[in-house]
PDB file of all heavy atoms in Angstrom:
ATOM      1  N   GLN G 177     -11.274  22.937   7.722  1.00 98.00           N
ATOM      2  CA  GLN G 177     -12.163  22.939   8.888  1.00 98.00           C
ATOM      3  C   GLN G 177     -11.504  22.249  10.085  1.00 98.00           C
ATOM      4  O   GLN G 177     -11.543  22.759  11.207  1.00 98.00           O
ATOM      5  CB  GLN G 177     -13.473  22.251   8.533  1.00 98.00           C
ATOM      6  CG  GLN G 177     -14.334  23.010   7.542  1.00 98.00           C
ATOM      7  CD  GLN G 177     -15.543  22.209   7.095  1.00 98.00           C
ATOM      8  OE1 GLN G 177     -15.559  20.982   7.168  1.00 98.00           O
ATOM      9  NE2 GLN G 177     -16.572  22.897   6.609  1.00 98.00           N
ATOM     10  N   ALA G 178     -10.895  21.094   9.830  1.00 98.00           N
ATOM     11  CA  ALA G 178     -10.293  20.335  10.926  1.00 98.00           C
ATOM     12  C   ALA G 178      -9.143  21.095  11.579  1.00 98.00           C
ATOM     13  O   ALA G 178      -8.950  21.018  12.799  1.00 98.00           O
ATOM     14  CB  ALA G 178      -9.796  18.985  10.407  1.00 98.00           C
ATOM     15  N   ALA G 179      -8.391  21.839  10.766  1.00 98.00           N
ATOM     16  CA  ALA G 179      -7.262  22.610  11.285  1.00 98.00           C
ATOM     17  C   ALA G 179      -7.675  23.987  11.794  1.00 98.00           C
ATOM     18  O   ALA G 179      -6.838  24.725  12.316  1.00 98.00           O
ATOM     19  CB  ALA G 179      -6.189  22.754  10.208  1.00 98.00           C
ATOM     20  N   GLN G 180      -8.954  24.312  11.618  1.00 98.00           N
ATOM     21  CA  GLN G 180      -9.493  25.604  12.069  1.00 98.00           C
ATOM     22  C   GLN G 180      -8.696  26.774  11.491  1.00 98.00           C
ATOM     23  O   GLN G 180      -8.311  27.704  12.200  1.00 98.00           O
ATOM     24  CB  GLN G 180      -9.531  25.667  13.601  1.00 98.00           C
ATOM     25  CG  GLN G 180     -10.414  24.607  14.219  1.00 98.00           C
ATOM     26  CD  GLN G 180     -10.480  24.691  15.734  1.00 98.00           C
ATOM     27  OE1 GLN G 180      -9.667  25.323  16.389  1.00 98.00           O
ATOM     28  NE2 GLN G 180     -11.489  24.043  16.314  1.00 98.00           N
ATOM     29  N   LEU G 181      -8.476  26.720  10.177  1.00 98.00           N
ATOM     30  CA  LEU G 181      -7.715  27.753   9.481  1.00 98.00           C
ATOM     31  C   LEU G 181      -8.652  28.813   8.899  1.00 98.00           C
ATOM     32  O   LEU G 181      -9.849  28.570   8.710  1.00 98.00           O
ATOM     33  CB  LEU G 181      -6.892  27.133   8.350  1.00 98.00           C
ATOM     34  CG  LEU G 181      -5.876  26.062   8.766  1.00 98.00           C
ATOM     35  CD1 LEU G 181      -5.192  25.483   7.530  1.00 98.00           C
ATOM     36  CD2 LEU G 181      -4.850  26.630   9.730  1.00 98.00           C
ATOM     37  N   LYS G 182      -8.089  29.952   8.589  1.00 97.00           N
ATOM     38  CA  LYS G 182      -8.837  31.031   7.951  1.00 97.00           C
ATOM     39  C   LYS G 182      -8.708  30.980   6.421  1.00 97.00           C
ATOM     40  O   LYS G 182      -9.269  31.826   5.723  1.00 97.00           O
ATOM     41  CB  LYS G 182      -8.337  32.378   8.462  1.00 97.00           C
ATOM     42  CG  LYS G 182      -8.584  32.608   9.954  1.00 97.00           C
ATOM     43  CD  LYS G 182      -8.078  33.970  10.392  1.00 97.00           C
ATOM     44  CE  LYS G 182      -8.328  34.194  11.880  1.00 97.00           C
ATOM     45  NZ  LYS G 182      -7.811  35.524  12.333  1.00 97.00           N
ATOM     46  N   THR G 183      -7.985  30.012   5.917  1.00 98.00           N
ATOM     47  CA  THR G 183      -7.735  29.897   4.487  1.00 98.00           C
ATOM     48  C   THR G 183      -9.030  29.873   3.681  1.00 98.00           C
ATOM     49  O   THR G 183      -9.951  29.121   3.997  1.00 98.00           O
ATOM     50  CB  THR G 183      -6.943  28.612   4.191  1.00 98.00           C
ATOM     51  OG1 THR G 183      -5.755  28.576   4.989  1.00 98.00           O
ATOM     52  CG2 THR G 183      -6.559  28.533   2.719  1.00 98.00           C
ATOM     53  N   ILE G 184      -9.077  30.692   2.633  1.00 98.00           N
ATOM     54  CA  ILE G 184     -10.213  30.691   1.713  1.00 98.00           C
ATOM     55  C   ILE G 184      -9.917  29.695   0.595  1.00 98.00           C
ATOM     56  O   ILE G 184      -8.855  29.737  -0.034  1.00 98.00           O
ATOM     57  CB  ILE G 184     -10.439  32.091   1.109  1.00 98.00           C
ATOM     58  CG1 ILE G 184     -10.689  33.126   2.214  1.00 98.00           C
ATOM     59  CG2 ILE G 184     -11.608  32.057   0.124  1.00 98.00           C
ATOM     60  CD1 ILE G 184     -11.912  32.875   3.049  1.00 98.00           C
ATOM     61  N   LEU G 185     -10.847  28.786   0.347  1.00 98.00           N
ATOM     62  CA  LEU G 185     -10.686  27.796  -0.711  1.00 98.00           C
ATOM     63  C   LEU G 185     -11.387  28.278  -1.971  1.00 98.00           C
ATOM     64  O   LEU G 185     -12.596  28.517  -1.973  1.00 98.00           O
ATOM     65  CB  LEU G 185     -11.275  26.454  -0.281  1.00 98.00           C
ATOM     66  CG  LEU G 185     -11.250  25.348  -1.345  1.00 98.00           C
ATOM     67  CD1 LEU G 185      -9.821  24.983  -1.726  1.00 98.00           C
ATOM     68  CD2 LEU G 185     -12.016  24.114  -0.862  1.00 98.00           C
ATOM     69  N   HIS G 186     -10.622  28.403  -3.059  1.00 98.00           N
ATOM     70  CA  HIS G 186     -11.150  28.840  -4.353  1.00 98.00           C
ATOM     71  C   HIS G 186     -11.214  27.631  -5.286  1.00 98.00           C
ATOM     72  O   HIS G 186     -10.187  26.995  -5.563  1.00 98.00           O
ATOM     73  CB  HIS G 186     -10.256  29.918  -4.963  1.00 98.00           C
ATOM     74  CG  HIS G 186     -10.170  31.152  -4.133  1.00 98.00           C
ATOM     75  ND1 HIS G 186     -10.965  32.256  -4.353  1.00 98.00           N
ATOM     76  CD2 HIS G 186      -9.373  31.463  -3.073  1.00 98.00           C
ATOM     77  CE1 HIS G 186     -10.655  33.193  -3.464  1.00 98.00           C
ATOM     78  NE2 HIS G 186      -9.706  32.742  -2.680  1.00 98.00           N
ATOM     79  N   VAL G 187     -12.397  27.317  -5.760  1.00 97.00           N
ATOM     80  CA  VAL G 187     -12.622  26.136  -6.589  1.00 97.00           C
ATOM     81  C   VAL G 187     -12.982  26.578  -8.003  1.00 97.00           C
ATOM     82  O   VAL G 187     -13.869  27.418  -8.194  1.00 97.00           O
ATOM     83  CB  VAL G 187     -13.746  25.261  -6.000  1.00 97.00           C
ATOM     84  CG1 VAL G 187     -13.981  24.035  -6.881  1.00 97.00           C
ATOM     85  CG2 VAL G 187     -13.388  24.834  -4.581  1.00 97.00           C
ATOM     86  N   VAL G 188     -12.291  26.006  -8.990  1.00 97.00           N
ATOM     87  CA  VAL G 188     -12.523  26.346 -10.399  1.00 97.00           C
ATOM     88  C   VAL G 188     -13.075  25.111 -11.107  1.00 97.00           C
ATOM     89  O   VAL G 188     -12.319  24.193 -11.458  1.00 97.00           O
ATOM     90  CB  VAL G 188     -11.219  26.821 -11.073  1.00 97.00           C
ATOM     91  CG1 VAL G 188     -11.475  27.181 -12.547  1.00 97.00           C
ATOM     92  CG2 VAL G 188     -10.622  28.012 -10.326  1.00 97.00           C
ATOM     93  N   PRO G 189     -14.391  25.016 -11.319  1.00 95.00           N
ATOM     94  CA  PRO G 189     -14.980  23.858 -12.000  1.00 95.00           C
ATOM     95  C   PRO G 189     -14.552  23.811 -13.463  1.00 95.00           C
ATOM     96  O   PRO G 189     -14.471  24.851 -14.132  1.00 95.00           O
ATOM     97  CB  PRO G 189     -16.488  24.100 -11.881  1.00 95.00           C
ATOM     98  CG  PRO G 189     -16.641  25.107 -10.781  1.00 95.00           C
ATOM     99  CD  PRO G 189     -15.428  25.971 -10.874  1.00 95.00           C
ATOM    100  N   VAL G 190     -14.303  22.607 -13.973  1.00 94.00           N
ATOM    101  CA  VAL G 190     -13.883  22.455 -15.367  1.00 94.00           C
ATOM    102  C   VAL G 190     -14.993  21.878 -16.235  1.00 94.00           C
ATOM    103  O   VAL G 190     -14.801  21.642 -17.420  1.00 94.00           O
ATOM    104  CB  VAL G 190     -12.618  21.580 -15.470  1.00 94.00           C
ATOM    105  CG1 VAL G 190     -11.486  22.180 -14.649  1.00 94.00           C
ATOM    106  CG2 VAL G 190     -12.899  20.142 -15.039  1.00 94.00           C
ATOM    107  N   LEU G 191     -16.159  21.636 -15.645  1.00 91.00           N
ATOM    108  CA  LEU G 191     -17.296  21.112 -16.392  1.00 91.00           C
ATOM    109  C   LEU G 191     -18.308  22.221 -16.659  1.00 91.00           C
ATOM    110  O   LEU G 191     -18.498  23.117 -15.846  1.00 91.00           O
ATOM    111  CB  LEU G 191     -17.996  19.989 -15.619  1.00 91.00           C
ATOM    112  CG  LEU G 191     -17.361  18.603 -15.625  1.00 91.00           C
ATOM    113  CD1 LEU G 191     -16.159  18.553 -14.722  1.00 91.00           C
ATOM    114  CD2 LEU G 191     -18.396  17.562 -15.216  1.00 91.00           C
ATOM    115  N   LYS G 192     -18.972  22.113 -17.792  1.00 87.00           N
ATOM    116  CA  LYS G 192     -20.087  23.000 -18.092  1.00 87.00           C
ATOM    117  C   LYS G 192     -21.274  22.570 -17.233  1.00 87.00           C
ATOM    118  O   LYS G 192     -21.437  21.394 -16.925  1.00 87.00           O
ATOM    119  CB  LYS G 192     -20.450  22.897 -19.573  1.00 87.00           C
ATOM    120  CG  LYS G 192     -21.365  23.997 -20.080  1.00 87.00           C
ATOM    121  CD  LYS G 192     -21.526  23.889 -21.589  1.00 87.00           C
ATOM    122  CE  LYS G 192     -22.378  25.022 -22.126  1.00 87.00           C
ATOM    123  NZ  LYS G 192     -22.503  24.952 -23.618  1.00 87.00           N
ATOM    124  N   GLY G 193     -22.098  23.532 -16.824  1.00 78.00           N
ATOM    125  CA  GLY G 193     -23.169  23.200 -15.903  1.00 78.00           C
ATOM    126  C   GLY G 193     -22.583  22.943 -14.533  1.00 78.00           C
ATOM    127  O   GLY G 193     -22.898  21.953 -13.868  1.00 78.00           O
ATOM    128  N   ASP G 194     -21.710  23.855 -14.105  1.00 68.00           N
ATOM    129  CA  ASP G 194     -20.913  23.648 -12.899  1.00 68.00           C
ATOM    130  C   ASP G 194     -21.644  24.038 -11.618  1.00 68.00           C
ATOM    131  O   ASP G 194     -21.026  24.114 -10.557  1.00 68.00           O
ATOM    132  CB  ASP G 194     -19.595  24.430 -12.998  1.00 68.00           C
ATOM    133  CG  ASP G 194     -19.782  25.823 -13.595  1.00 68.00           C
ATOM    134  OD1 ASP G 194     -20.907  26.358 -13.486  1.00 68.00           O
ATOM    135  OD2 ASP G 194     -18.822  26.353 -14.163  1.00 68.00           O
ATOM    136  N   ASP G 195     -22.969  24.242 -11.698  1.00 79.00           N
ATOM    137  CA  ASP G 195     -23.718  24.621 -10.503  1.00 79.00           C
ATOM    138  C   ASP G 195     -23.875  23.453  -9.521  1.00 79.00           C
ATOM    139  O   ASP G 195     -24.294  23.646  -8.383  1.00 79.00           O
ATOM    140  CB  ASP G 195     -25.102  25.160 -10.882  1.00 79.00           C
ATOM    141  CG  ASP G 195     -25.895  24.204 -11.761  1.00 79.00           C
ATOM    142  OD1 ASP G 195     -25.268  23.379 -12.450  1.00 79.00           O
ATOM    143  OD2 ASP G 195     -27.123  24.273 -11.740  1.00 79.00           O
ATOM    144  N   PHE G 196     -23.520  22.223  -9.958  1.00 86.00           N
ATOM    145  CA  PHE G 196     -23.635  21.066  -9.063  1.00 86.00           C
ATOM    146  C   PHE G 196     -22.449  20.965  -8.113  1.00 86.00           C
ATOM    147  O   PHE G 196     -22.510  20.221  -7.127  1.00 86.00           O
ATOM    148  CB  PHE G 196     -23.727  19.774  -9.876  1.00 86.00           C
ATOM    149  CG  PHE G 196     -22.410  19.288 -10.412  1.00 86.00           C
ATOM    150  CD1 PHE G 196     -21.654  18.360  -9.704  1.00 86.00           C
ATOM    151  CD2 PHE G 196     -21.906  19.767 -11.622  1.00 86.00           C
ATOM    152  CE1 PHE G 196     -20.433  17.915 -10.187  1.00 86.00           C
ATOM    153  CE2 PHE G 196     -20.694  19.340 -12.101  1.00 86.00           C
ATOM    154  CZ  PHE G 196     -19.949  18.403 -11.383  1.00 86.00           C
ATOM    155  N   ILE G 197     -21.380  21.702  -8.391  1.00 92.00           N
ATOM    156  CA  ILE G 197     -20.147  21.527  -7.620  1.00 92.00           C
ATOM    157  C   ILE G 197     -20.331  21.906  -6.153  1.00 92.00           C
ATOM    158  O   ILE G 197     -19.930  21.170  -5.244  1.00 92.00           O
ATOM    159  CB  ILE G 197     -18.995  22.334  -8.250  1.00 92.00           C
ATOM    160  CG1 ILE G 197     -18.494  21.641  -9.519  1.00 92.00           C
ATOM    161  CG2 ILE G 197     -17.839  22.498  -7.272  1.00 92.00           C
ATOM    162  CD1 ILE G 197     -17.758  20.349  -9.273  1.00 92.00           C
ATOM    163  N   SER G 198     -20.915  23.063  -5.896  1.00 94.00           N
ATOM    164  CA  SER G 198     -21.075  23.502  -4.508  1.00 94.00           C
ATOM    165  C   SER G 198     -21.863  22.500  -3.669  1.00 94.00           C
ATOM    166  O   SER G 198     -21.405  22.113  -2.582  1.00 94.00           O
ATOM    167  CB  SER G 198     -21.738  24.881  -4.453  1.00 94.00           C
ATOM    168  OG  SER G 198     -20.850  25.866  -4.935  1.00 94.00           O
ATOM    169  N   PRO G 199     -23.028  22.029  -4.120  1.00 94.00           N
ATOM    170  CA  PRO G 199     -23.742  21.016  -3.325  1.00 94.00           C
ATOM    171  C   PRO G 199     -22.937  19.744  -3.128  1.00 94.00           C
ATOM    172  O   PRO G 199     -22.999  19.115  -2.057  1.00 94.00           O
ATOM    173  CB  PRO G 199     -25.006  20.743  -4.152  1.00 94.00           C
ATOM    174  CG  PRO G 199     -25.203  21.980  -4.964  1.00 94.00           C
ATOM    175  CD  PRO G 199     -23.834  22.473  -5.275  1.00 94.00           C
TER     176      PRO G 199
END
Side-chain angles (χ1 to χ4, degrees):
Q177 292 173 337
Q180 299 181 343
L181 301 177
K182 295 181 180 179
T183 306
I184 301 298
L185 176 63
H186 298 264
V187 179
V188 180
V190 302
L191 282 75
K192 194 173 183 178
D194 41 25
D195 54 336
F196 78 94
I197 285 290
S198 290

